[in-house]
Amino acid sequence: MRQLRYGTLIPPGFIVEQASREGAEVRIAVRHQTRWGLCPGCGTQSGRVHSRYRRCLADLPMAGRPVRLLLLARRFRCGSVCCGRRIFTERFDPDVLAPWARRTTRLEAVVHTLAIALGGRPAARLARRLVLPVGKDTLLRVVRRRGSPPPVPPTVVGIDDWAWRRNRRYGTIICDLERRRTIALLPDREPATALEWLSSQRQIAVVARDRGGSYALAAAKALPHATQVADRWHLMENASRAFLDAVRTSIRQIRGVLGATTVDPLLLTAAERIQHEGYLRREETNLAILGLAKEGAAIKEIVRRTGHSRGLVRKVLRGQHADVFRVREHSLEVHLPWLEAQWTAGLRNGAELWRRLRQHGFRGSLRVVTEWATRRRKAEKADCSALGRTPSARTIARLLTIGRDGLSKSETITVAAIEDGVPPLVEARDIIAAFQGMIRKRSLADLKPWLARSQASLVASFAAGVTKDLAAVAAAISLPWSNGQTEGQVTKLKLVKRQMYGRGKIDLLQARVIGAA
Ligand SMILES: [Zn+2]
């Protein structure tokens, strides 16, 4: 068995002269192995010692005790005639000890890793537990000093903004989309700042950016030959918003259509009948309130005479209490009473219902009956109050765009009424769906016909926006690059920023976000 020697515990290149304990601390006096030094001015070797001095260095802890190396360092005289330096201090392998450093390189590396992973305060807490002799400020200083390694020159970048402070101050983040990492943080989102950075990276061939014009402009100026890609996520989002706007524009017609719908209570399921009765009650209320208002009664007066709350009266008068209820013709119509009875008796299996119903002369398919069962189940769960208010534009937009299978019976009724009554909205929906499908399926050939088709529609202004940014939108459809990844990096960045509390200075943030990879 070999004996453990002090020499194996300290960084290579040094010789232990003496070791002692001073309180909790282990102190090891060391000197350099070599007898000469290299002049940093001229590279000449010199063994002529001018003087000695002590360097006190923190090193990795040993068996739970902090370690201090007491290094007796030397100054040499430079013997070269041509050299301007007369005296120089001895240098060490930078992998062991940097000039002027107060920590060994191996300790510094641990400290750096810790600071990058956790940030100042949490890293300091962990460092204390690990007996590493560094405080919060030292940790941050190490991160700052080490900075971040220069990135591999990128060819495909994503650029986006991110919030330093929500709605107050924004910065710019740039990601290498091929290597999937953040490569730069800029202190603001000014076009000039982005322009300057992009100009220094002439090799960039593709820039993915959102549809805000300023990055597009900066990229066009800095890298006129680069392909710009509109962000797919934003395109999808903008398309959905365009449809929502179309719904808002059509809301008057929608209200008209929904208000005109009628219901035959005999065709309703039991649950629907309850809802329908509620609907009739509310309708009655509305009529009474509106009638009084027409006669010139003030809100106070209406409240007194009808006994309804002030809030409700206000709502009705504002037209926010309008109701909707309608069912469509159904192929199951004549069988509904029978089905309803079976359902109430507890038979709720669609296939079984269909088999029995066929014996009653039903010629329809299995699907019709299972669909009825599904809707019946939903109707049972349906919240009666859901029928009590006019759906908002947002809700209507959602109902019109999700598949029929996802709708409850009352929602299906609403959707059908709007589809029948407001055809331009149906067209707008189809146009938006076509756009989103085009992006998903990467079918660039459809773009031109799509633009022609949408020209006179409710979403014409969205189409005009697409035309304005045509090349970038086309690139978004045909190229694999997208800014979605950059958004992911922004999320990561926010996490790091939150850990840093108020100390989120950009160089520190940059060091932690970029140095961490
Ligand atoms: Zn020299």
Side-chain angles (χ1 to χ4, degrees):
M1 209 158 97
R2 286 176 67 186
Q3 255 189 326
L4 178 66
R5 294 193 332 194
Y6 278 122
T8 59
L9 300 175
I10 60 168
F14 293 99
I15 293 171
V16 176
E17 300 213 295
Q18 198 199 343
S20 63
R21 252 180 63 190
E22 194 77 33
E25 195 176 80
V26 174
R27 292 198 176 170
I28 306 175
V30 298
R31 65 178 168 81
H32 206 196
Q33 271 175 345
T34 56
R35 296 182 45 198
W36 34 262
L38 280 182
C39 171
C42 63
T44 312
Q45 232 179 53
S46 168
R48 292 167 59 204
V49 176
H50 166 270
S51 56
R52 292 186 165 79
Y53 64 103
R54 278 223 179 271
R55 279 178 74 178
C56 195
L57 307 164
D59 193 18
L60 291 174
M62 195 181 288
R65 290 176 188 283
V67 172
R68 203 163 284 280
L69 301 181
L70 305 171
L71 168 63
L72 195 61
R74 293 163 293 185
R75 292 189 189 89
F76 292 99
R77 292 178 202 280
C78 181
S80 169
V81 192
C82 326
C83 183
R85 266 177 217 249
R86 313 294 294 277
I87 297 165
F88 63 91
T89 56
E90 68 178 325
R91 302 290 165 105
F92 306 93
D93 180 348
D95 288 343
V96 173
L97 184 62
W100 319 117
R102 295 170 59 199
R103 279 173 292 277
T104 56
T105 304
R106 62 187 192 179
L107 173 61
E108 180 105 349
V110 171
V111 167
H112 185 234
T113 307
L114 208 59
I116 283 207
L118 299 176
R121 232 174 278 257
R125 269 198 297 276
L126 185 56
R128 210 173 308 132
R129 296 299 296 268
L130 296 173
V131 209
L132 298 173
V134 284
K136 181 187 57 164
D137 295 306
T138 308
L139 283 156
L140 295 179
R141 219 165 28 238
V142 169
V143 169
R144 274 220 169 96
R145 186 169 60 229
R146 289 221 165 181
S148 33
V152 183
T155 45
V156 181
V157 299
I159 186 166
D160 205 349
D161 58 10
W162 56 277
W164 272 101
R165 294 180 65 183
R166 203 171 238 272
N167 296 329
R168 290 256 195 105
R169 201 176 147 209
Y170 288 85
T172 295
I173 181 170
I174 298 170
C175 296
D176 182 331
L177 296 184
E178 287 176 299
R179 291 176 188 81
R180 311 189 73 84
R181 49 180 295 185
T182 305
I183 48 173
L185 297 178
L186 309 181
D188 54 47
R189 55 175 178 183
E190 297 302 317
T193 312
L195 179 76
E196 193 190 331
W197 192 91
L198 291 170
S199 302
S200 70
Q201 304 282 333
R202 296 277 176 192
Q203 77 287 345
I204 292 174
V206 176
V207 179
R209 40 81 177 165
D210 70 9
R211 302 195 61 221
S214 71
Y215 290 135
L217 234 63
K221 265 194 200 159
L223 308 161
H225 304 297
T227 305
Q228 294 199 26
V229 184
D231 178 46
R232 273 197 290 280
W233 186 84
H234 279 103
L235 282 175
M236 300 292 258
E237 179 75 9
N238 292 350
S240 300
R241 185 162 298 276
F243 181 60
L244 178 60
D245 289 343
V247 172
R248 290 206 170 112
T249 315
S250 321
I251 202 79
R252 194 177 286 272
Q253 285 116 287
I254 293 172
R255 288 227 172 98
V257 166
L258 296 184
T261 54
T262 52
V263 162
D264 179 357
L266 291 178
L267 294 181
L268 297 177
T269 64
E272 285 163 355
R273 207 166 296 136
I274 293 169
Q275 293 175 356
H276 185 240
E277 278 157 16
Y279 158 77
L280 290 178
R281 238 186 348 265
R282 284 188 296 276
E283 254 336 67
E284 220 166 86
T285 307
N286 290 0
L287 282 176
I289 291 172
L290 290 171
L292 285 172
K294 226 177 191 177
E295 288 167 19
I299 290 183
K300 208 172 169 186
E301 174 75 4
I302 300 174
V303 168
R304 197 181 57 75
R305 281 170 61 180
T306 59
H308 293 301
S309 76
R310 198 179 167 76
L312 176 72
V313 172
R314 272 229 184 92
K315 248 186 170 175
V316 172
L317 292 180
R318 283 196 203 124
Q320 290 168 341
H321 205 244
D323 237 327
V324 179
F325 207 92
R326 206 188 84 162
V327 287
R328 288 194 297 168
E329 292 277 302
H330 204 291
S331 70
L332 273 177
E333 221 172 279
V334 289
H335 302 286
L336 283 176
W338 181 87
L339 274 174
E340 194 59 46
Q342 299 297 310
W343 187 271
T344 315
L347 178 58
R348 300 188 165 196
N349 182 310
E352 185 56 32
L353 280 170
W354 175 68
R355 267 191 290 280
R356 295 199 189 176
L357 195 57
R358 281 208 325 184
Q359 292 162 10
H360 285 257
F362 177 64
R363 296 267 166 271
S365 68
L366 169 66
R367 200 174 55 89
V368 175
V369 180
T370 51
E371 261 175 17
W372 175 86
T374 307
R375 286 190 190 176
R376 184 66 188 78
R377 217 165 279 130
K378 271 184 191 146
E380 210 151 69
K381 281 191 219 148
D383 180 6
C384 292
S385 69
L387 280 168
R389 48 192 154 77
T390 311
S392 66
R394 200 171 282 277
T395 306
I396 292 173
R398 187 178 58 82
L399 293 181
L400 284 171
T401 43
I402 58 178
R404 277 294 170 84
D405 297 344
L407 297 176
S408 71
K409 182 146 191 169
S410 61
E411 287 169 343
T412 309
I413 293 162
T414 307
V415 167
I418 297 171
E419 285 177 347
D420 287 349
V422 197
L425 201 55
V426 177
E427 195 206 4
R429 177 188 64 189
D430 295 346
I431 288 172
I432 291 300
F435 183 81
Q436 293 178 330
M438 194 158 62
I439 298 221
R440 259 187 230 109
K441 283 182 258 150
R442 308 277 165 82
S443 45
L444 186 57
D446 297 341
L447 184 56
K448 279 254 162 68
W450 180 86
L451 282 171
R453 179 186 169 197
S454 45
Q455 223 82 121
S457 73
L458 280 174
V459 291
S461 71
F462 171 66
V466 169
T467 309
K468 233 188 231 166
D469 202 18
L470 194 59
V473 173
I477 295 172
S478 58
L479 294 182
W481 306 112
S482 176
N483 241 0
Q485 210 197 107
T486 309
E487 312 236 336
Q489 300 286 7
V490 169
T491 309
K492 229 184 267 175
L493 177 68
K494 281 180 184 157
L495 196 72
V496 169
K497 189 165 64 75
R498 206 166 311 137
Q499 287 175 343
M500 289 165 64
Y501 307 95
R503 310 191 60 144
K505 297 267 163 47
I506 189 128
D507 57 340
L508 208 54
L509 203 54
Q510 177 132 348
R512 279 199 61 199
V513 170
I514 299 168

